[in-house]
Amino acid sequence: MRGAWLLLACALPWLGACASPPGVQVSPAQEAAQVDLVDAANVVSGLRTEIRYAGDNNFIGAPVTGYEAPKCLLLAPVALALARVQQDVQREGLSLKVFDCYRPVRSVQHFVRWARDPADQRTKAAYYPNLEKASLLDGYIAETSGHSRGATLDLTLVRCERDACEELDMGTPFDFFDPRANTAHPSITEEQRRHREQLVQAMARHGFQNYAMEWWHFTFRPEPTPRTAYDVPIQ
């Protein structure tokens, strides 16, 4: 994957397919606190979390290397910006729900190993029903990810009553390999389009840019550390 195709593939969240900017280096840090990665749940009041890669409800079908706890880690300035988004959506009776945030480099490597194993097709029906697994390496999976820089996250909107929350209908599940996951795909309903636009606008007001191929994927701009990736485990 090179040149323009690398740019197109950048930021695919479920598989870490992101062409890092030239010169990106992996930090030698071994703990989150060393690089100002914070638990967003401690910063964003009322944040809902369902960190998929810490369990088996994901496209691999098993916990992913590096996810030792179901936490949403983000660089501190990114978490503070997310808190402002949460304040906005709460005024509309909603809440943010995150599926993935910072992703260690070792986790991306796990994705690549999975993609190179054609025998494991356990999750095809749920995550890539219209694609052959081998084709994922031609564009969906790369060996670096923007998530590893601590400023990218995957999330949705939920409406909560007491302790029960229901996700707004976005037209596809999170991590679904299909053009229908494109933010402005024409086949979705008017209600689904409205929900996607509501999320995009709420995030954009506080510096988060949506990736047009995936309604759930956002990166804070400018990134605090655009030339540094991290490999500290999520604990």
Side-chain angles (χ1 to χ4, degrees), residues 144-157:
T144 59
S145 172
H147 280 268
S148 299
R149 299 196 293 272
T152 293
L153 69 162
D154 304 325
L155 77 171
T156 191
L157 289 169

Side-chain angles (χ1 to χ4, degrees), residues 28 71 75 80 101 103 119 122 124 129 136 147 171 176 192 232:
K71 293 181 179 180
L75 292 173
L80 290 171
C101 299
R103 182 183 305 161
R122 289 174 292 165
K124 179 176 175 60
L136 302 179
H147 280 268
F176 190 61
Q192 292 162 352
V232 298

Side-chain angles (χ1 to χ4, degrees), residues 49-228:
T49 62
E50 185 184 344
I51 306 303
R52 293 288 188 87
Y53 303 141
D56 57 12
N57 183 20
N58 58 60
F59 69 90
I60 285 181
V64 175
T65 301
Y67 286 80
E68 300 175 12
K71 293 181 179 180
C72 168
L73 300 187
L74 293 168
L75 292 173
V78 183
L80 290 171
L82 193 67
R84 293 190 286 271
V85 179
Q86 174 76 336
Q87 290 170 356
D88 279 1
V89 302
Q90 284 179 325
R91 285 191 283 268
E92 302 173 19
L94 302 170
S95 177
L96 300 173
K97 177 180 177 179
V98 293
F99 298 116
D100 191 37
C101 299
Y102 156 72
R103 182 183 305 161
V105 170
R106 69 191 71 185
S107 308
V108 179
Q109 294 168 347
H110 187 173
F111 293 167
V112 173
R113 291 194 301 272
W114 171 85
R116 289 175 175 161
D117 179 8
D120 184 353
Q121 299 284 340
R122 289 174 292 165
T123 64
K124 179 176 175 60
Y127 291 95
Y128 54 106
N130 301 315
L131 295 175
E132 294 302 320
K133 188 177 185 183
S135 71
L136 302 179
L137 286 166
D138 293 330
Y140 288 100
I141 299 176
E143 296 192 14
T144 59
S145 172
H147 280 268
S148 299
R149 299 196 293 272
T152 293
L153 69 162
D154 304 325
L155 77 171
T156 191
L157 289 169
V158 296
R159 189 176 302 278
C160 301
E161 294 184 5
R162 297 184 176 88
D163 292 329
C165 294
E166 182 178 355
E167 295 179 17
L168 299 192
D169 182 3
M170 296 292 185
T172 75
F174 163 65
D175 262 5
F176 190 61
F177 294 69
D178 192 273
R180 285 176 291 164
N182 295 359
T183 306
H185 196 272
S187 73
I188 60 177
T189 68
E190 187 57 37
E191 179 184 47
Q192 292 162 352
R193 187 181 315 283
R194 187 169 63 251
H195 291 162
R196 291 184 183 190
E197 290 176 352
Q198 189 172 12
L199 177 60
V200 168
Q201 292 169 8
M203 296 292 283
R205 283 195 294 270
H206 298 284
F208 291 90
Q209 180 180 344
N210 175 243
Y211 179 58
M213 300 298 289
E214 300 156 349
W215 60 260
W216 56 79
H217 178 96
F218 294 84
T219 298
F220 183 71
R221 305 290 187 187
E223 292 186 53
T225 60
R227 305 298 183 193
T228 305

